[in-house]
Amino acid sequence: DNQLGLLGLIAREGSFDTQDFEALCRALPFHSAGDSRVDEPGFRGAATHADRGPRATTARSADGVSALTVARLDAREDLARTLGTAPGASDATLLLAAYARWGAGLVDHLSGDFCFLLWDARTRTLIAATDQFGARPLFYRESGGGLAISNALTALRDSDAGVALDEGAIGETLTLGMIADPGGTLYRGIRRLPEAHLLQWRDGVLSVARYWSPPIDGPLLYRPRAALADEFRDLFVRAVADRLPPEGEIGILMSGRLDLRPGAAGGAR
């Protein structure tokens, strides 16, 4: 979402510094003096958003874990109930509760559109992830054992005059319509965290691994057409409900597309 900004910076000697962090913040969408900030030894983070609409959230636990997230979580009430948190808890608060219960395995219990950063000050470990389909991307850049990570590629690009274009990636984009490397970008040194991947950083060591793949080996269960229609209707209404804001007025642009009318009906239910 181009209205939401997320940033994390791990600074080590000979790596990024305070000036780098401020330059990155200024390059985030909707940057202002009122941004939500996280300031821990070895790690700094920021979350930005417009005055109205979706919000990027931050939270910190009593035992030194900080969360920053841009998210629209599916089955949010079910997740809050499982974790024992209030239904109205922020996305970052839900992430902290999920991390406290499942550790890095929290990604196995999340669905929706999300990207997040978790900094565990106890072990000086950063955990970051994107959702299963990459609706909310993350980009990162290493330097001198430090790491800068953001959902805004432009922040990593514009904050460093030394970032150069990757001619090979540009050539692939022009000829193939895509970059062959799933983690590649058009800029040297700036990487994309692919969809359904988990990034972990500790003591200057970075690892990236896939945490989810589409299930393709399950059995095909054929049922009466009416039962399939009922199940599809229930899933569709739940999917629409997951995408409705918790408060405020809702508007739907009726352009004549066939999918908009069922969406409006599902929202009304």
Side-chain angles (χ1 to χ4, degrees), residues 176-257:
L176 304 175
M178 59 178 288
I179 300 174
D181 179 0
T185 71
L186 296 179
Y187 302 93
R188 293 176 183 171
I190 299 179
R191 302 282 296 169
R192 182 177 75 90
L193 185 62
E195 62 276 5
H197 275 67
L198 181 75
L199 176 151
Q200 297 189 70
W201 181 100
R202 184 175 182 181
D203 295 331
V205 178
L206 179 74
S207 64
V208 174
R210 175 177 284 275
Y211 68 83
W212 179 85
S213 295
I216 59 174
D217 55 354
L220 290 175
L221 302 176
Y222 295 96
R223 288 174 287 173
R225 173 171 280 185
L228 292 174
D230 288 341
E231 182 174 355
F232 173 80
R233 187 182 302 108
D234 291 342
L235 290 173
F236 183 81
V237 170
R238 286 171 54 190
V240 172
D242 283 333
R243 284 154 180 80
L244 294 178
E247 58 185 17
E249 297 181 350
I250 301 169
I252 298 178
L253 178 63
M254 303 298 288
S255 65
R257 284 171 39 189

